[in-house]
Every structure is written in structure tokens, then in C-alpha cells.
Amino acid sequence: MSAYAPPTTLSPSRIDSFLSCPLAFRFSSLDGLFDPPTEATVRGTMVHQALEYFYDSPNTERSEDQLHSAVDKMIGDYETDDDIIFLGLTGDKYDKLGNECRKLALNALEMEDPKQVNPVGLELRIEATFGEVTLRGIIDRLERDSEGRLVITDYKTGRAPGPSFEKKALAGVHFYALLCQREFEEDAAELRLMYVKSSQTITSRPSSKTISFTEQRLTAVHQAISQACESGQFATRKSALCNYCTFQQWCPEFGGDPNVALVEAPRRAQHS
Ligand code: SF4
């Protein structure tokens, strides 16, 4: 009997989680242990929401004033959000967080001409089945460029990667290109990562070859996860990410016992 039932659905973030560290993936995705939000993750979610409100307005209305209105609306929405309360980001701290989000959203505005953006979908949920696995994703912004071609944009509020890590950073949007190809029967012309903190954009041009490679990659990762589920063996992968890992005290790399986590660690449901 398998230790865990293999997942039938995956998302780019879960794939990245497994590839970064299979044991942390097990704790978070299969054991359902609580992986708490951080100020950085909440800030990212809030900026995404503000930009969604902004780009949902007609092209002609997209001005700096309109962006401030979108940020104000978002700030109103999130004031009593569970994650904000959990992190104690209320009062002055919430004002500071709101100002940081406003600055990041304004940076995004300066990186492109918002009146030229023609969205097809914002925070677009999209899924398709490939063999035994359904791939699900949420595309921040799918648009048509001036020549009518599809462009996929992903906003990032963290630090931009150095040149040698750009390919890894683009892996998630290549899965979105695969989903678009299946949904619209059309290859996206460009993939874009917009790092709004440093005003940097990383782009890639997908092709039939990269889309086919991404599908093979999806199948290979799903097989690797299924094998780990079957055997119950989830390897550790020590890296700089361990410094931020919620599960470090139960990790064998740090003298912990993963089975103890099942008894000691809080479950997600206790906090949701
Ligand atoms: S501490 Fe590092 S190796 Fe251990 S589970 Fe977390 S990410 Fe994986």
C-alpha cells in the first residue's frame, strides 16, 4: 500500500516546492502542516490585488490617480484579512505595509505604458489534463500585444534573480505557456516576469520545443512525486531556503524527526 495517494493535480508552485525540497513538499502539501504566511507573501498578494483592480479598468482611465484608487480599494479589502491579523500587521504596521504596496504598484506603472496593455484575463484560472495529472495555474495577466499575440505576465515583488538563475525563475511561466497552448491552441509570443521592486523585467520567448519540453517535465515531476508517495521516501534538499523553512525543527538535516512533525506541528485547518 502507498504511503500517500499520488496527487492528481499540480500547480507550478507545488512543482517548484517539490523540486526545491521533497520533504518540505510532503509536510506542506501531503501532511497538511501549517506553513504560515509571512509579511513578504502578504505584501505580494496585496500588490497583485491592486494591479488586478487597476488593469480591470478601461485603458483610457489608467492613470496614476486611478492606480491610487486601486491601491486604496485593496487596502480597504485587506485590513481585516486573516493573514494580516495572524501576523499582527494592524494599526501603524498596516499603514506602513499599505505604503510599501503603493510604492511597488507605482513602480509597476512606470515599467510600461498601462494604456497599451490589453488584458484577455486577470488572475486567470486555467487548467488542463496531461495524462494522469491535471495542471492548474492562475495567470496574473494574459494579454494581446499590438500584433494580437498572447503575452503572459507574472508580477514579482521579491528580489530579481541574478543572470544564472533567470532560467529557473522562468520555469513557472513556461507551465502557463503550456496551459495557454492547450486552452487557446496558440503559442504565447512572450513570457514576462515583472520584478516591481527593482523595476526589472525578464522575458522569454516560448516555442513548440520549449512547450513540448515543459509537458515532458510535468510528466517527469509527477512520476517522481508518485514514486515518493508510493515509497514514503521524501528526500531532503539542503539549500539557502532552509533558513526560511517552517519545518526545520523536524528535518533530519537539522537533527529532527519528520514523524514527530505529524504529532507536534500545527495543521493548516487549525489556522484557516
Ligand atoms: S530545512 Fe531544508 S532540507 Fe529540511 S525540510 Fe526544510 S527545506 Fe528541506
Side-chain angles (χ1 to χ4, degrees):
M1 198 175 113
S2 296
Y4 295 92
T8 53
T9 61
L10 285 175
S11 64
S13 61
R14 286 180 89 202
I15 290 169
D16 183 55
S17 163
F18 181 80
L19 294 175
S20 297
C21 177
L23 181 60
F25 168 87
R26 188 201 104 176
F27 284 143
S28 168
S29 293
L30 303 178
D31 293 329
L33 303 188
F34 182 51
D35 196 359
T38 64
E39 192 170 330
T41 58
V42 170
R43 191 186 299 111
T45 306
M46 290 170 71
V47 171
H48 278 70
Q49 182 64 74
L51 292 173
E52 182 186 352
Y53 285 150
F54 177 68
Y55 280 106
D56 203 24
S57 56
N59 301 39
T60 49
E61 292 177 14
R62 292 190 202 130
S63 60
E64 194 172 317
D65 284 349
Q66 177 67 15
L67 183 72
H68 283 294
S69 300
V71 173
D72 290 341
K73 184 170 189 295
M74 175 279 292
I75 287 174
D77 289 353
Y78 275 82
E79 195 160 8
T80 53
D81 180 80
D82 287 347
D83 289 350
I84 294 288
I85 307 288
F86 172 80
L87 291 166
L89 295 170
T90 51
D92 290 349
K93 288 183 185 164
Y94 190 64
D95 293 343
K96 181 171 171 280
L97 180 63
N99 288 337
E100 289 165 1
C101 292
R102 193 180 300 279
K103 188 169 182 307
L104 292 170
L106 282 166
N107 281 356
L109 192 70
E110 285 170 10
M111 292 171 72
E112 59 189 355
D113 180 354
K115 292 193 165 107
Q116 301 301 321
V117 175
N118 296 302
V120 174
L122 299 169
E123 300 298 320
L124 181 69
R125 289 177 186 275
I126 186 165
E127 69 172 54
T129 299
F130 301 87
E132 295 177 359
V133 63
T134 297
L135 179 65
R136 282 187 183 147
I138 303 175
I139 299 176
D140 292 346
R141 196 174 83 199
L142 181 67
E143 67 206 70
R144 295 263 175 208
D145 67 10
S146 56
E147 292 170 46
R149 303 171 306 177
L150 284 176
V151 174
I152 296 169
T153 298
D154 205 31
Y155 307 122
K156 300 284 183 190
T157 50
R159 258 200 347 218
S164 48
F165 289 95
E166 285 186 2
K167 209 170 154 196
K168 183 174 185 298
L170 283 159
V173 274
H174 277 288
F175 284 114
Y176 296 148
L178 173 62
L179 284 168
C180 278
Q181 208 281 334
R182 181 62 74 85
E183 176 79 14
F184 301 100
E185 296 182 354
E186 181 180 336
D187 292 352
E190 189 171 84
L191 310 177
R192 242 185 238 163
L193 301 180
M194 279 178 67
Y195 287 88
V196 296
K197 192 173 179 181
S198 52
S199 305
Q200 284 171 272
T201 303
I202 295 174
T203 59
S204 176
R205 292 192 181 278
S207 62
S208 308
K209 204 169 150 191
T210 60
I211 287 173
S212 162
F213 171 76
T214 304
E215 185 172 348
Q216 287 168 22
R217 192 160 184 256
L218 170 67
T219 304
V221 175
H222 185 247
Q223 277 173 358
I225 295 174
S226 299
Q227 281 164 11
C229 287
E230 179 89 19
S231 66
Q233 301 296 314
F234 288 82
T236 55
R237 191 154 298 151
K238 216 171 167 187
S239 73
L241 293 178
C242 297
N243 294 330
Y244 310 97
C245 179
T246 317
F247 313 114
Q248 201 188 84
Q249 72 185 97
W250 300 290
C251 172
E253 295 287 354
F254 294 84
D257 179 349
N259 293 324
V260 174
L262 301 181
V263 182
E264 287 183 355
R267 305 277 163 155
R268 199 161 28 238
Q270 288 174 251
H271 292 266
S272 60

